[in-house]
Amino acid sequence: MADPREEAEPLLSRTRGGSSGRNCPAGASACHSVQVGPGAAARRDLCLDQAVVFIEDAIQYRSINHRVDARSLWLYRWYYSSPSQWILSLTIFLILALAFIETPSSLTSTSDVRYRPAPWEPPCGLTEGVEALCLLVFAADVSMKSYLVGAQFRKNPWLLAYLVVLVVSLVDWIVSLSLVCQEPVRVRRLLRPFFLMQNSSMMKKTLKCIRWSLPEMASVGLLLAVHLCLFTTFGMLLFTGEKDGGQDKERLTYFRNLPQALTSLLVLLTTANNPDVMIPAYSKNRAYAIFFIAFTLIGSLFLMNLLTAIIYNQFRGYLMKSLQTSLLRRRLGTRAAYKVLSSMTAEGEAHPEGVGVKPQDFLQVLQKVQLDSDHKQAITEKLHSCSGDLLSADEFQKLFEEFDKRVIKEHPPRPEYQSPFLQSAQFLFGHHYFDYLGNLMALGNLVTICVFLVLDADVLPEDRDDFLLGILNCIFILYYLLEMLLKVFALGPQGYLAYSSNVFDGLLTIVLLVLEISTLAVYRFPHPGWKPEMRGLLSLWDMTRLVNLLIVFRFLRIIPSMKLMAVVASTILDLIKNMRAFGGILLVVYYVFAVIGIILFQGVVVAPGNSSLAPDNGSAPCGSFEQLEYWANNFDDFAAALVTLWNVMVVNNWQVFLDAFRRYAGPWSKVYFVLWWLVSSVIWVNLFLALILENFLHKWDRRSHLQSLTGDLAATSEMTVELLFRDVLEEPTEEELMEKLSHHPHMQLCR
């Protein structure tokens, strides 16, 4: 089980239970600390099972700090099996998704308060029943984790918090049923994102890094606050003239009072209301522009970018620290597996320190490990290349270097044709120049679509003549079909499907062919003035749009053909995979703020005409919430709250939201939106930018270096992030590994 203190403290705590504090006698086995029966066969099976679990821990970068008796090992493997983890992930998804169905329900076609129908509300007990099942799963989960870590449960803050959240959620659930689901606030909704966080060790690491960055961010935030207050005071003093119409308009519009002045300059800090905020004064005297330009230069261009630089400096090396921790975990897992397997060989030997691991024992363990067959085969082949009857610690460790490599499957052999003509055709259509021709045809198809979009921009869909475009699409789709068949001929069916780009092409080609045949069957062959009436589910224009969309999407096939673009695209994809935990943090923040927004602002935005606070569009000031028709941005349900928070996070026109909710809910509503801006736009976006820069720069530099060494871009793209940075990571020493293993709380090892 992952210890949340893994980066601040050693991976394995020095606290040990039982007799693990004793020095072992010579020849003591790692398996002897668990009583499994008097037979040597039982001890051997236990050692094999321990080695299997330790190797699986190393593969998944898990901590080995858990129970290792026979029953616990079985429970541990079952807990981390695919079905068990799938059930847990599904449970987390269900309990988070309940927010869309619970009252207030998001099951309407629109969130616009003018057109939104009455949503379907689930009966009392329906969502509560689903939630009860989820809480039962979480109770089983925390019980299992607590048992597996043993006495260290009391020292694990995440497990203790897990238990507290479960108890509070259960109490709140009981209160809901006792009040027939009419309670004003459901506290457990705010706690649901915790179930997502506690299940991800990477999210815990990310939270820890954010916590480390907060003091430096707070120092810049204090500078921003001082800067804002000073310029607010200057503005209040400058724009107080009564004779100058420009000054008076500026004062009445943006500097009427201290809260309004603070809000105006805070929004200007994000440049959302620039240049609107300075136009009234600037129109009368150009000297007033100095005030606003100075504020923007110091705040937006200097302090905000300084904040990004400080956060980036804090995150420099964050990826390296994470990879270093992962490397240590892997080495600990494999070293523990070697220790227990060598203890089997050492049993009965006079000098156990000189023995190693028998290859047949390792093969027996490898067959039980949950690992794909390709990696198993690669490790087995490497094992057969080792000389000697016993594997040393170094040889044992080198076997697991295959974990870091993505196994490159060999493509199936091409069909062999006897005819010289067929052989020439196979060479021609299997050459990469044939792919270039296909890319050229795809580009031509895209250009024709763009030309017709420009020519028909001012023509209504029912008045368009799609004859020429229909003919061209038919020709291009026939070429795509011919290209697919020729590639299948040259590479063979299995060889064609071995390339992901071919699968992408073939799938879209088949879909395009089916759509084209359906269009011809329903609307006949294109002819001049081809504008038939709608038949079936889709009109001719809808069918044409769908075909064009798929053709544009198919154009993405050119990415693998362009080396520079392929490197950038693959790097971005790897970054997305490695930053899922960071996205999870954003999901948690969105969820919590959306629930709080529903509690605070549900129902405050009313349709025009239903309240004196909601004037008609004709009488609303220009640029206001009502005049811009932002009625769909509200907190009346969970889905609408998420979209509203997104619009505020982008900070484009977010002053409109501040003004509207000030009028509808009160001036205190600004606190909520400013806090959301700080958390999302200032902290999270800057952290995200810093992490992207750190990952991308390191990954790009390492790719370029490895490519210059190997001369093969494909070889560099087949490496995991761990292997890509392996040469800059520090290998744990033998003494460090043995020290940590000797302090394992559930297994007795010799010191």
Side-chain angles (χ1 to χ4, degrees):
M1 304 302 297
D3 191 339
R5 300 168 298 167
E6 62 202 8
E7 293 188 10
E9 300 178 7
L11 201 60
L12 300 177
S13 173
R14 292 182 176 271
T15 305
R16 299 180 298 155
S19 61
S20 59
R22 300 191 304 265
N23 292 331
C24 299
S29 169
C31 311
H32 292 167
S33 63
V34 183
Q35 302 300 322
V36 296
R43 289 198 301 273
R44 174 182 171 82
D45 291 341
L46 176 60
C47 284
L48 293 176
D49 290 340
Q50 286 180 348
V52 169
V53 170
F54 288 147
I55 291 175
E56 290 177 349
D57 288 341
I59 295 172
Q60 301 297 332
Y61 300 104
R62 294 194 297 254
S63 171
I64 62 172
N65 194 14
H66 53 77
R67 295 179 185 267
V68 291
D69 59 275
R71 180 170 177 270
S72 298
L73 290 176
W74 182 86
L75 287 174
Y76 187 83
R77 295 196 74 197
W78 176 84
Y79 176 79
Y80 280 108
S81 64
S82 296
S84 176
Q85 292 299 303
W86 184 85
I87 291 173
L88 184 58
S89 299
L90 178 63
T91 304
I92 294 173
F93 171 78
L94 284 177
I95 200 166
L96 292 177
L98 284 178
F100 293 97
I101 304 173
E102 292 174 325
T103 304
S105 172
S106 302
L107 302 179
T108 55
S109 59
T110 178
S111 61
D112 194 314
V113 295
R114 298 170 297 176
Y115 315 122
R116 181 180 56 204
W120 174 81
E121 301 292 352
C124 183
L126 179 62
T127 57
E128 286 74 16
V130 176
E131 190 173 13
L133 292 176
C134 294
L135 293 177
L136 286 176
V137 173
F138 293 138
D141 179 53
V142 71
S143 300
M144 180 71 73
K145 288 181 176 179
S146 303
Y147 170 76
L148 291 174
V149 300
Q152 287 196 326
F153 167 76
R154 296 189 298 270
K155 301 178 182 179
N156 192 320
W158 280 99
L159 286 180
L160 293 175
Y162 197 177
L163 186 60
V164 171
V165 168
L166 272 177
V167 171
V168 174
S169 299
L170 181 60
V171 171
D172 192 59
W173 180 82
I174 295 173
V175 171
S176 294
L177 290 183
S178 63
L179 296 177
V180 200
C181 307
Q182 298 299 319
E183 75 281 10
V185 177
R186 295 187 179 184
V187 178
R188 62 185 185 276
R189 287 181 178 176
L190 293 170
L191 303 178
R192 287 174 183 169
F194 178 85
F195 299 122
L196 176 64
M197 287 192 299
Q198 64 81 30
N199 196 50
S200 171
S201 60
M202 285 303 299
M203 288 182 67
K204 297 172 186 176
K205 291 181 182 179
T206 306
L207 277 176
K208 183 174 293 185
C209 286
I210 292 175
R211 188 186 66 190
W212 289 344
S213 303
L214 283 178
E216 285 73 15
M217 287 189 288
S219 62
V220 182
L222 183 60
L223 283 176
L224 280 171
V226 172
H227 167 70
L228 188 63
C229 292
L230 285 177
F231 272 83
T232 299
T233 305
F234 293 155
M236 293 288 290
L237 294 174
L238 280 175
F239 307 115
T240 55
E242 298 180 357
K243 297 181 180 180
D244 192 327
Q247 284 184 333
D248 193 53
K249 186 176 181 181
E250 184 77 33
R251 178 182 64 82
L252 293 176
T253 308
Y254 299 106
F255 292 88
R256 179 187 295 271
N257 49 50
L258 185 62
Q260 188 175 11
L262 275 172
T263 303
S264 299
L265 291 183
L266 178 64
V267 175
L268 180 60
L269 197 63
T270 65
T271 69
N273 61 350
N274 185 66
D276 299 354
V277 68
M278 79 170 186
I279 288 300
Y282 177 65
S283 298
K284 297 298 181 180
N285 191 331
R286 68 178 73 233
Y288 284 121
I290 299 174
F291 170 84
F292 296 100
I293 292 174
F295 176 83
T296 305
L297 279 175
I298 298 173
S300 301
L301 302 183
F302 179 71
L303 291 179
M304 293 298 290
N305 288 318
L306 178 63
L307 178 63
T308 302
I310 288 177
I311 294 174
Y312 174 69
N313 184 63
Q314 286 299 109
F315 265 76
R316 288 192 64 180
Y318 164 65
L319 178 62
M320 296 300 104
K321 290 180 182 178
S322 299
L323 295 180
Q324 188 67 53
T325 302
S326 299
L327 178 63
L328 178 60
R329 286 189 165 203
R330 174 157 289 183
R331 296 296 182 257
L332 277 173
T334 54
R335 195 65 178 84
Y338 174 82
K339 191 69 178 177
V340 296
L341 289 177
S342 62
S343 68
M344 295 167 50
T345 309
E347 201 165 318
E349 296 286 341
H351 302 285
E353 64 277 3
V355 302
V357 175
K358 295 179 180 179
Q360 56 268 30
D361 291 340
F362 176 73
L363 286 175
Q364 189 174 353
V365 169
L366 187 63
Q367 296 306 315
K368 295 183 179 180
V369 172
Q370 294 181 0
L371 186 65
D372 60 273
S373 58
D374 295 326
H375 280 93
K376 282 186 178 180
Q377 182 179 356
I379 294 174
T380 303
E381 292 175 356
K382 194 168 185 177
L383 175 65
H384 290 156
S385 65
C386 297
S387 59
D389 297 331
L390 295 176
L391 296 172
S392 65
D394 290 338
E395 292 174 330
F396 188 84
Q397 180 59 58
K398 289 179 180 178
L399 292 175
F400 295 97
E401 292 178 357
E402 301 299 323
F403 289 158
D404 296 322
K405 301 177 182 177
R406 295 174 184 168
V407 178
I408 305 176
K409 297 182 180 180
E410 295 184 1
H411 297 298
R414 296 187 177 188
E416 296 182 1
Y417 298 106
Q418 302 299 325
S419 169
F421 173 76
L422 293 181
Q423 290 176 358
S424 300
Q426 182 184 31
F427 173 78
L428 179 64
F429 299 124
H431 200 275
H432 61 272
Y433 284 160
F434 188 62
D435 290 333
Y436 294 159
L437 177 61
N439 292 339
L440 187 62
M441 295 294 291
L443 177 61
N445 197 355
L446 183 63
V447 169
T448 59
I449 292 175
C450 293
V451 168
F452 279 96
L453 287 176
V454 172
L455 294 177
D456 296 338
D458 298 326
V459 182
L460 295 176
E462 57 270 16
D463 297 331
R464 293 182 180 180
D465 188 352
D466 295 317
F467 163 66
L468 188 56
L469 183 59
I471 291 293
L472 290 175
N473 279 346
C474 284
I475 294 173
F476 280 113
I477 291 173
L478 287 176
Y479 172 81
Y480 298 153
L481 177 62
L482 179 63
E483 180 188 22
M484 181 181 69
L485 295 177
L486 290 175
K487 283 188 176 181
V488 171
F489 159 77
L491 305 175
Q494 293 182 347
Y496 179 83
L497 296 175
Y499 296 89
S500 57
S501 59
N502 288 342
V503 175
F504 176 78
D505 273 354
L507 249 168
L508 286 179
T509 299
I510 292 173
V511 174
L512 285 170
L513 184 64
V514 170
L515 280 174
E516 194 65 25
I517 293 175
S518 302
T519 303
L520 296 178
V522 175
Y523 295 105
R524 304 296 182 238
F525 197 78
H527 53 81
W530 192 37
K531 293 182 290 185
E533 297 293 330
M534 177 177 174
R535 300 173 186 173
L537 296 176
L538 296 175
S539 66
L540 175 62
W541 170 240
D542 292 332
M543 298 281 280
T544 304
R545 281 196 306 167
L546 186 56
V547 169
N548 291 338
L549 283 172
L550 292 175
I551 289 174
V552 173
F553 185 61
R554 188 181 181 276
F555 185 70
L556 295 176
R557 57 169 280 169
I558 70 166
I559 291 179
S561 302
M562 303 178 65
K563 289 189 176 181
L564 183 60
M565 189 184 297
V567 172
V568 174
S570 63
T571 303
I572 292 174
L573 289 176
D574 286 341
L575 286 172
I576 293 173
K577 294 176 184 177
N578 291 314
M579 288 192 292
R580 286 178 295 181
F582 211 74
I585 298 294
L586 180 63
L587 174 62
V588 169
V589 174
Y590 259 94
Y591 200 101
V592 172
F593 268 85
V595 173
I596 295 175
I598 292 173
I599 295 173
L600 296 177
F601 306 119
Q602 182 186 356
V604 300
V605 177
V606 294
N610 295 343
S611 171
S612 59
L613 294 176
D616 294 332
N617 290 350
S619 60
C622 182
S624 65
F625 186 90
E626 295 80 11
Q627 188 270 331
L628 294 172
E629 298 188 343
Y630 280 6
W631 302 108
N633 293 287
N634 54 67
F635 291 88
D636 291 351
D637 58 70
F638 189 73
L642 292 177
V643 176
T644 303
L645 289 175
W646 170 263
N647 291 333
V648 175
M649 188 184 80
V650 177
V651 299
N652 184 32
N653 270 358
W654 75 298
Q655 72 277 10
V656 176
F657 296 90
L658 290 173
D659 176 68
F661 282 90
R662 176 191 62 80
R663 290 184 282 109
Y664 289 133
W668 54 266
S669 62
K670 291 183 180 180
V671 177
Y672 171 85
F673 288 102
V674 171
L675 282 176
W676 170 246
W677 169 73
L678 286 172
V679 173
S680 61
S681 296
V682 176
I683 297 178
W684 190 89
V685 170
N686 279 293
L687 288 174
F688 188 69
L689 177 61
L691 199 58
I692 285 180
L693 288 173
E694 177 74 9
N695 287 356
F696 189 85
L697 291 177
H698 276 285
K699 193 173 180 64
W700 183 269
D701 291 341
R702 298 307 304 157
R703 277 184 181 273
S704 302
H705 176 65
L706 289 175
Q707 185 182 353
S708 64
L709 294 178
T710 62
D712 184 8
L713 179 62
T716 63
S717 64
E718 293 296 333
M719 298 180 181
T720 61
V721 177
E722 286 78 12
L723 185 60
L724 200 62
F725 295 104
R726 181 54 48 84
D727 61 333
V728 297
L729 297 179
E730 183 179 351
E731 283 284 342
T733 62
E734 179 72 12
E735 293 75 15
E736 183 181 2
L737 293 176
M738 293 307 299
E739 174 67 18
K740 292 183 179 298
L741 287 176
S742 66
H743 290 85
H744 195 289
H746 301 291
M747 184 172 64
Q748 181 175 335
L749 288 173
C750 300
R751 291 188 178 182

